[in-house]
Amino acid sequence: GQNIDQPTEMTATEGAIVQINCTYQTSGFNGLFWYQQHAGEAPTFLSYNVLDGLEEKGRFSSFLSRSKGYSYLLLKELQMKDSASYLCAVRSPAHAGNNRKLIWGLGTSLAVNP
Amino acid sequence: DAMVIQNPRYQVTQFGKPVTLSCSQTLNHNVMYWYQQKSSQAPKLLFHYYDKDFNNEADTPDNFQSRRPNTSFCFLDIRSPGLGDAAMYLCATSRAPGENQPQHFGDGTRLSIL
């Protein structure tokens, strides 16, 4: 089957670093996306990984290991506004029959405390 | 400037009374998606259009239909809403078929059923 696992909740302190993990089991792999979703709002795109390694974008970085079916999102210098849900989503050609659909994790709810 | 626009942000309807949600985009993207998202759950894909080609998910209830009269607009019609259809409805777009193309979301319409 197709499955994506993320921790349900995490807590961190303002100014710190937090790592949100995502593991996936899918029939094929065509890329992994991270989205941020504030309560009551739509998801916004953060990062995309298709090759192994680290992609850095300002305070946010995302890592992928295809052999392990594993990704993480690293948030540095945490700010209060980073309190949100972080969704991991995988593009799987076998799931889609094309490249247009995503398999979504349930999201990790991150609370940043002062 | 908003690129994927959903109207209205909040919609209240009565049990069994048809309702239409709208989405427009200024990105000229080929693909438009409709998702249903309930609290603390992942977005659930209902259907998507690749240009005029309509793709329904196997588990989308018959009560849900969609129209895409042109590239810019897409509508979600719920023929006879039930209490279980109360949710956030998200419209998203993407270019196709590029693998690294993220989905861009509108702000969503929160649907309440009385």
Side-chain angles (χ1 to χ4, degrees), chain A residues 27-30 91-99:
Chain A
S27 302
F29 176 84
N30 262 357
R91 179 168 279 151
S92 167
H95 170 72
N98 51 58
N99 275 329

Side-chain angles (χ1 to χ4, degrees), chain B residues 8 10-21 78-83 85-86 89 110-114:
Chain B
Y10 301 92
Q11 176 74 55
V12 181
T13 192
Q14 292 178 330
F15 182 93
K17 185 174 181 181
V19 64
T20 295
L21 309 182
I78 308 176
R79 283 191 299 184
S80 182
L83 297 178
D85 297 328
Y89 289 88
R110 184 165 294 283
L111 179 66
S112 300
I113 314 294
L114 298 180

Side-chain angles (χ1 to χ4, degrees), chain B residues 23-40:
Chain B
C23 178
S24 64
Q25 56 136 337
T26 59
L27 298 165
N28 204 34
H29 283 171
N30 300 90
V31 191
M32 294 187 78
Y33 307 80
W34 279 106
Y35 287 91
Q36 179 193 67
Q37 188 178 28
K38 296 187 177 181
S39 183
S40 302

